Amino acid sequence: MENPFEDRLRFERRVPPCAIVIFGANGDLTQRKLIPALYRLAYERRFPPGIAIIGNSRTPMTDDQFREKMREAVQKFLEDSPFDVDLWNDFAKGLFYCSGDIGDPAMYAGLKVRIAQVAEERGTAGNVLFYLSTQPSQYIPVVQNLGAVGLNNSAGWTRIIIEKPFGHDTESSNVLHDAVRQVFRESQVYRIDHYLGKETVQNVLAFRFGNGIFEPLWNRRYVSHVQITAAESIGVGSRGGYYQEAGALRDMIQNHLLQVMATIAMEPPAVFEPDAVRDERAKLLRSIRTLKPEDVATHAVAGQYGAARVGGEDALGFRQEKGVDPESQTNTYAAMTFFVENWRWAGVPFYIRTGKRMPKRVTDIAIQFNDAPHSVFVDAPIMSRSGRGPNLLILRIQPEEGISLRFRSKQPGAGMRLRPVSMDFNYGSSFGERSPSAYETLLLDAMAGDSTLYTRQDMVDASWKAVQPVLDVWSETKHHFPNYDAGSWGPQASEEMLQRRGHTWRVP
Amino acid sequence: MPAVQAEKLLQQLDEVWVSLGKQQEEAGGVLRACAITLIAVVDEAADIGETLADIMHDNPSRAIVIRISDDGRPLSARAFAQCWMPFGRRQQICCEQVEMAASSASFADVPSVLRGLLAPDLPVVLWVRHPDALKLPAMAAVMALAHKVVVEPRGYEDWKWLMDEVARLNRAGIVIADLAWTRITRWRDLTARLFDAPERRAQLAQVDRLVIEHSSPEPGPAVRYMAAWIANSLGRRLDTRFHQAGSTKYWQIQSVVLSGPSVEFALRRTEHQVVQMQAASLESCTLFPQLKEAELLREELAILGPDPVFQKVLAAQ
């Protein structure tokens, strides 16, 4: 029997009651992102009554101490919303804590009892969502222990969210997958890539498949090349230790940016349903040409920032950052040229770059269209001095979300002088309402059983396959780091990578 | 030559844009934004500046405000732009606004001017904040220009007539919204939440009584819509009672209680803008901050087509 009061036009999508079990509840991600996102969902009336959150970490705490700690976190990290005491008090009734070492099998027996008690008390109907917000090295022990006590199944549904990184390379990704699949079915596993939860990445799907006018241009015949840029102005800060092990290629390109590229380049799904969308993303990722070792030098560039003056201040080089080896070979910048081997994209380069300590924080996708075959305007050559044709479509993901289309227009006055102009759609000014954070979107999706914006194992496999040859070659290479100044757009070799095909990086 | 010409107003708007562009040249000009034409029919003294400014952020529009007075004045109009600087940005965003003043008599001249003023190819929403205007003969021609008509009964003494008029317009095929209906979305949403759990849904068959408490001497449109919606959703009539509880400036629902021989499901407004949900083992609270007019309009502007649930409620009136 359906709810007779349902009104899909007016009411926000609702999710069933459930218990959310967060491993690593004392950690940074939980306090900065997860709990504020969950509180915000409660504030927006997106939760059913009876939702429960059970935190786990090694630190001994009572339920009340945990609630107090989470209250402080929400007050500190909540963005765009007021903190309401009445609502918090109600929300906090659903917060519980279960301390224990996640490596200790006995802890899981206690957790199982606690989940059952909470289910009884809060009416969660046996639905459980596990969230692995721990060190990646703990993923496998947690999953195995959950399986050992039968927490991989319940009277309702059981799902598990795994944070990236999904392995350190192809091999470790497979090891993780094997361990997970022995305990959970693929349909229970939600691999989170918060980039896909960003409103503007979702808007790429709306832009491509909700409009008929762009699709005919979306192919090798009209597109010269695609540039995806994800730049950060800050350095590694306190993440030096972690970052040293990961590097820009693993931290950004292998997961976030290849997912963005897949969203840009995938074929239209037949329906907007989780598996249909993910099938197309996976197919695209599998179509990426695998580099031969000898091609790595011409298709990939590693960089590391060095000390420089930025904005009147001395910025540290990566090797001077806290927790970083003074001889570190870690890339803080990575750029790659990818090719997609299918009929739509054959021969079209997809340039992806990401880096720390760049001139500004920006993420965007630029689709450079081919030049007109012949210029009828003698004094206005098609190509500009930068080597770029006039038509450029820019999908801005952050910070100023929106879409710009650049084209040429006649400059007012006598004669036929042309100049580029930009037609802008600004997401913020057209839809001024607050966008949910990526974690709000993704948590709600997982509770609703919607995995459209989550990564599937075959997508993870294909992404690792696309970058593994580069990782292999770079691990054997002694890089001459640092090779770019903090506050610059990256190493010269990156420009040269594009110049080989007559292209240049745009300045976002 | 008519005193007010659409073309002249559009020309004034063009001049406004040129002037704004020059003033803001260093910041890269201003961003001209328009997603709908919003026609607001208000009384002469209405202060809707803040509401329009709020709406512009979500629904940048060409706003055409028509102020109606009883003094027999001829139609007059002026054009200008409203701008704001989004936080952290250098470029202002600006929306167009045309302000018209008309008397009940000169309102007859409004439709012909409006036809030339609508932003091309974009939806047109008519917001009737001065319900007496619905009685003006030329209003039918204005409504014919709109994709959707939104009425505001709050503070309107003849609200029973207005409810009938809304139902009549619905029958006539006009896409009509009533902000009294919009005001109860949260109450309806919470009612639905009470029955999300299958075990509580199973108890619905036992419900035979509905009590709605309200804060006005008479149960106003919101209370009546709420009762009609519950009966419609359940597909049966309940023993329905309305009680006054407390007193506020405008109608306000204070509680909704569905009950039967051995069940009770309640939503009760408490202090601090909080509503409590109560059922057998369930107790939960939700924030009900005071909704501003702009928030209600925002909800309606997000639904430009018909609202089938509201249409059913109107049809059952």
Side-chain angles (χ1 to χ4, degrees):
Chain A
M1 176 189 171
E2 281 205 3
N3 188 335
F5 297 112
E6 188 55 76
D7 181 351
R8 292 186 197 285
L9 191 66
R10 301 258 175 183
F11 302 166
E12 297 282 6
R13 179 180 62 169
R14 294 196 301 280
V15 294
C18 68
I20 303 168
V21 181
I22 302 175
F23 294 102
N26 205 19
D28 214 35
L29 179 70
T30 304
Q31 295 185 43
R32 280 177 182 272
K33 300 286 183 190
L34 300 183
I35 295 292
L38 290 165
Y39 170 80
R40 176 71 212 187
L41 288 169
Y43 182 89
E44 294 275 359
R45 292 181 289 123
R46 306 297 292 269
F47 276 164
I51 207 95
I53 298 159
I54 304 173
N56 162 267
S57 80
R58 221 178 332 195
T59 314
M61 264 189 281
T62 64
D63 287 344
D64 283 339
Q65 285 169 327
F66 179 61
R67 287 167 186 153
E68 180 56 22
K69 190 157 196 165
M70 294 303 111
R71 186 183 62 75
E72 285 168 13
V74 169
Q75 285 182 308
K76 189 171 176 188
F77 297 115
L78 185 67
E79 291 172 0
D80 309 328
S81 306
F83 179 83
D84 184 274
V85 175
D86 286 328
L87 181 67
W88 172 261
N89 289 340
D90 192 58
F91 179 78
K93 281 187 215 159
L95 289 179
F96 304 91
Y97 188 72
C98 180
S99 69
D101 184 345
I102 50 177
D104 176 11
M107 190 278 287
Y108 294 84
L111 179 64
K112 190 175 182 179
V113 171
R114 198 74 208 268
I115 291 172
Q117 285 168 346
V118 167
E120 180 72 23
E121 190 178 319
R122 303 283 296 174
T124 58
N127 299 324
V128 187
L129 177 65
F130 293 107
Y131 198 117
L132 300 192
S133 176
T134 65
Q135 292 292 325
S137 58
Q138 305 283 3
Y139 291 171
I140 292 177
V142 173
V143 166
Q144 288 172 336
N145 281 311
L146 288 173
V149 295
L151 276 171
N152 51 341
N153 282 302
S154 66
W157 48 255
T158 302
R159 298 176 189 137
I160 184 164
I161 296 180
I162 303 178
E163 270 283 340
K164 67 131 190 159
F166 314 117
H168 192 68
D169 51 21
T170 305
E171 194 184 334
S172 56
S173 165
N174 288 336
V175 170
L176 173 63
H177 176 53
D178 285 344
V180 171
R181 77 174 174 183
Q182 283 179 23
V183 178
F184 292 100
R185 296 183 303 280
E186 179 64 29
S187 61
Q188 294 178 284
V189 183
Y190 288 69
R191 296 174 191 83
I192 202 164
D193 185 325
H194 74 268
Y195 247 64
L196 291 181
K198 287 180 184 285
E199 285 277 303
T200 37
V201 174
Q202 294 176 61
N203 191 38
V204 172
L205 294 174
F207 179 79
R208 284 195 61 199
F209 306 131
N211 297 293
I213 58 170
F214 301 107
E215 197 53 25
L217 309 177
W218 219 256
N219 56 53
R220 65 189 301 273
R221 191 163 171 211
Y222 295 100
V223 175
S224 157
H225 65 275
V226 177
Q227 297 187 9
I228 300 174
T229 300
E232 287 184 61
S233 56
I234 55 171
V236 295
S238 59
R239 291 174 73 219
Y242 159 77
Y243 200 84
Q244 188 165 241
E245 299 303 314
L249 183 59
R250 282 192 179 94
D251 193 44
M252 290 294 291
I253 294 183
Q254 184 274 330
N255 37 69
H256 302 320
L257 299 184
L258 280 177
Q259 291 296 334
V260 170
M261 175 179 155
T263 308
I264 283 290
M266 69 193 232
E267 294 297 314
V271 284
F272 192 69
E273 286 174 2
D275 270 334
V277 174
R278 300 200 302 176
D279 284 348
E280 295 303 339
R281 274 208 187 100
K283 204 162 80 186
L284 190 284
L285 290 167
R286 282 197 300 271
S287 306
I288 293 175
R289 183 192 299 168
T290 307
L291 290 180
K292 293 177 189 150
E294 59 270 28
D295 293 334
V296 167
T298 53
H299 288 70
V301 174
Q304 188 190 85
Y305 61 86
R309 290 282 292 174
V310 180
E313 287 182 0
D314 289 326
L316 294 177
F318 177 67
R319 290 175 175 179
Q320 287 84 53
E321 301 269 18
K322 194 177 165 194
V324 174
D325 176 358
E327 297 296 318
S328 173
Q329 285 286 303
T330 301
N331 53 81
T332 61
Y333 175 98
M336 278 191 73
T337 306
F338 292 100
F339 286 93
V340 177
E341 298 191 313
N342 64 19
W343 279 38
R344 186 190 284 267
W345 295 115
V348 177
F350 285 77
Y351 302 116
I352 299 185
R353 64 175 160 172
T354 182
K356 297 273 184 196
R357 274 278 182 218
M358 309 206 77
K360 64 177 177 183
R361 172 178 168 260
V362 60
T363 303
D364 67 17
I365 304 150
I367 293 145
Q368 176 67 61
F369 290 97
N370 282 325
D371 307 334
H374 167 67
S375 172
V376 296
F377 303 110
V378 180
D379 296 330
I382 299 283
M383 295 283 278
S384 66
R385 272 180 302 174
S386 65
R388 277 194 294 280
N391 298 131
L392 186 67
L393 178 71
I394 299 161
L395 307 170
R396 299 189 305 271
I397 292 176
Q398 60 187 18
E400 290 203 5
E401 301 88 343
I403 297 170
S404 299
L405 179 65
R406 200 181 65 169
F407 55 93
R408 278 188 164 179
S409 171
K410 181 185 176 300
Q411 191 154 346
M416 183 55 82
R417 283 186 298 167
L418 307 188
R419 71 170 185 198
V421 291
S422 183
M423 197 156 69
D424 276 334
F425 158 71
N426 191 311
Y427 210 72
S429 57
S430 293
F431 304 102
E433 64 192 73
R434 174 191 176 275
S435 295
S437 73
Y439 279 98
E440 286 168 50
T441 303
L442 293 167
L443 282 163
L444 210 59
D445 279 358
M447 285 182 244
D450 182 349
S451 53
T452 309
L453 300 176
Y454 283 85
T455 312
R456 214 168 48 190
Q457 182 58 30
D458 54 346
M459 295 152 81
V460 175
D461 284 344
S463 304
W464 277 119
K465 195 175 160 206
V467 300
Q468 192 62 51
V470 180
L471 291 171
D472 291 342
V473 170
W474 285 1
S475 68
E476 302 290 315
T477 307
K478 170 95 172 132
H479 296 287
H480 299 291
F481 287 160
N483 59 353
Y484 71 98
D485 285 342
S488 74
W489 281 110
Q492 178 58 27
S494 184
E495 281 297 339
E496 290 161 6
M497 181 176 82
L498 269 67
Q499 281 165 5
R500 280 183 211 112
R501 293 184 178 81
H503 303 142
T504 56
W505 282 116
R506 44 181 288 279
V507 177
Chain B
M1 204 56 127
V4 176
Q5 286 178 278
E7 261 181 27
K8 277 193 180 165
L9 289 166
L10 293 175
Q11 204 176 337
Q12 280 178 29
L13 284 173
D14 282 344
E15 285 162 12
V16 167
W17 287 116
V18 171
S19 156
L20 284 170
K22 280 183 182 161
Q23 285 169 30
Q24 298 290 323
E25 207 163 0
E26 278 189 13
V30 293
L31 190 63
R32 181 179 186 173
C34 184
I36 54 168
T37 299
L38 177 65
I39 305 168
V41 179
V42 300
D43 63 40
E44 189 186 10
D47 179 9
I48 57 165
E50 193 184 327
T51 300
L52 284 179
D54 276 3
I55 295 171
M56 293 299 164
H57 292 234
D58 293 5
N59 296 276
S61 50
R62 176 175 291 174
I64 303 171
V65 179
I66 305 167
R67 295 184 180 279
I68 301 181
S69 62
D70 294 325
D71 56 5
R73 70 174 69 172
L75 186 65
S76 63
R78 68 188 180 105
F80 56 100
Q82 274 211 41
C83 301
W84 70 94
M85 180 75 80
F87 181 74
R89 306 221 171 122
R90 288 179 62 229
Q91 196 180 39
Q92 284 195 327
I93 299 172
C94 296
C95 291
E96 299 167 339
Q97 193 164 323
V98 175
E99 186 110 8
M100 299 167 79
S103 63
S104 303
S106 62
F107 190 80
D109 295 329
V110 166
S112 61
V113 179
L114 279 180
R115 278 186 205 107
L117 278 182
L118 306 181
D121 307 314
L122 293 174
V124 179
V125 175
L126 170 63
W127 169 31
V128 185
R129 195 174 183 264
H130 179 49
D132 272 340
L134 289 170
K135 295 173 180 166
L136 297 173
M139 201 59 186
V142 175
M143 279 197 272
L145 300 173
H147 294 87
K148 177 171 184 171
V149 179
V150 182
V151 300
E152 168 60 288
R154 175 162 274 190
Y156 187 58
E157 286 181 2
D158 202 359
W159 57 266
K160 284 181 186 159
W161 171 82
L162 185 57
M163 279 187 81
D164 290 343
E165 182 65 2
V166 167
R168 186 189 71 76
L169 291 170
N170 178 53
R171 283 195 300 276
I174 287 172
V175 176
I176 185 96
D178 183 332
L179 294 186
W181 171 253
T182 322
R183 283 192 177 87
I184 62 169
T185 298
R186 298 182 302 181
W187 285 96
R188 296 193 304 117
D189 187 18
L190 279 198
T191 306
R193 272 163 208 268
L194 275 172
F195 299 101
D196 270 342
E199 64 274 15
R200 287 198 289 276
R201 219 147 54 219
Q203 295 174 328
L204 260 176
Q206 297 180 49
V207 170
D208 56 12
R209 185 182 165 94
L210 167 66
V211 178
I212 301 181
E213 290 183 323
H214 52 89
S215 61
S216 51
E218 269 193 292
V223 177
R224 286 163 191 260
Y225 284 142
M226 187 75 193
W229 171 70
I230 288 173
N232 241 19
S233 303
L234 292 176
R236 64 178 193 273
R237 287 193 177 279
L238 303 176
D239 172 10
T240 302
R241 311 279 169 92
F242 302 128
H243 297 306
Q244 186 180 0
S247 174
T248 51
K249 187 178 173 191
Y250 298 116
W251 329 293
Q252 188 169 280
I253 292 178
Q254 300 291 72
S255 69
V256 176
V257 180
L258 285 157
S259 59
S262 59
V263 293
E264 183 176 283
F265 304 95
L267 304 174
R268 290 193 177 90
R269 192 189 286 273
T270 63
E271 290 174 24
H272 308 302
Q273 302 177 342
V274 168
V275 168
Q276 275 197 327
M277 303 169 71
Q278 288 167 325
S281 60
L282 163 78
E283 191 166 314
S284 172
C285 73
T286 301
L287 281 187
F288 263 36
Q290 193 74 43
L291 286 180
K292 292 199 290 187
E293 194 171 37
E295 289 169 303
L296 298 166
L297 280 169
R298 195 174 291 147
E299 182 175 326
E300 290 306 330
L301 292 176
I303 305 167
L304 290 175
D307 173 350
V309 177
F310 185 46
Q311 284 180 329
K312 273 189 202 165
V313 167
L314 290 177
Q317 291 277 310

